[in-house]
Amino acid sequence: MPALILPLVDAATHWPDRGGLIGLDLGTKTIGVAVSNPDRRLATGVETIQRKAFKQDAARLLAIAAERKVVGFVLGLPINMDGSEGPRAQSTRAFARNLANLTTLPIGLWDERLSTAAVERELIGMDVSRAKRAEVIDEHAAIFILQGALDRLANLRTASENG
């Protein structure tokens, strides 16, 4: 049975209480990969995968998932500023559907509006060269996406505990 693909908050109900998550920033040429610690407090960069064919890309992602013993995926969903979904969001949903056929790990979709722009500004602020930024931008965007998702889940947990 394929994995569930749900908005982040709904996907979280299908993940165990503990266990790391993999965050993905899907670019046209690369995939930025980040992973969280088992307590889901901190996102750390893992690598940037140079995209080849879906099967190869998915095999690498599933290998990372197995190595890190993660319990789910968080995919950045590039929603337009007006809330609509364009071709990149449709491409992300298609990637999620294809990945879901290869794993049982639930996949959460997280609105990643402005993540790459925010990371770019941060790297420029740190005086990172254009060439170096190009090398690390997708991995850093994956960290930004995953950390945003972790923070949202932590806020929901706190709210329900104090509810």
Side-chain angles (χ1 to χ4, degrees):
M1 187 169 138
L4 295 170
I5 304 168
L6 300 164
L8 178 75
V9 173
D10 298 330
T13 64
H14 295 276
W15 294 323
D17 290 339
R18 266 184 61 79
L21 300 173
I22 286 188
L24 303 178
D25 177 52
L26 299 173
T28 52
K29 296 180 179 146
T30 61
I31 301 172
V33 183
V35 69
S36 80
N37 63 325
D39 291 329
R40 299 186 201 142
R41 299 205 190 290
L42 185 65
T44 309
V46 175
E47 69 182 75
T48 299
I49 297 170
Q50 296 300 316
R51 290 186 84 165
K52 296 176 178 80
F54 172 78
K55 281 197 184 318
Q56 286 176 278
D57 301 343
R60 180 67 193 129
L61 293 172
L62 294 172
I64 294 168
E67 288 163 15
R68 306 282 179 143
K69 298 179 177 63
V70 300
V71 298
F73 288 93
V74 174
L75 270 65
L77 186 64
I79 296 173
N80 295 325
M81 292 310 291
D82 66 2
S84 66
E85 292 190 15
R88 285 196 53 235
Q90 292 166 3
S91 173
T92 297
R93 286 188 183 278
F95 185 94
R97 282 191 303 274
N98 290 334
L99 184 61
N101 287 324
L102 302 175
T103 184
T104 58
L105 300 177
I107 299 169
L109 299 175
W110 175 244
D111 180 352
E112 67 142 306
R113 271 180 265 199
L114 301 179
S115 61
T116 302
V119 169
E120 180 94 21
R121 278 194 307 275
E122 191 177 301
L123 292 171
I124 289 170
M126 292 166 46
D127 207 25
V128 176
S129 73
R130 183 182 305 264
K132 184 66 176 163
R133 282 197 315 266
E135 283 176 32
V136 301
I137 191 87
D138 294 314
E139 184 179 320
H140 281 257
I143 296 167
F144 188 89
I145 289 163
L146 184 55
Q147 191 63 54
L150 296 174
D151 293 347
R152 174 75 175 121
L153 294 174
N155 289 340
L156 288 173
R157 255 193 323 275
T158 303
S160 72
E161 289 165 5
N162 296 334

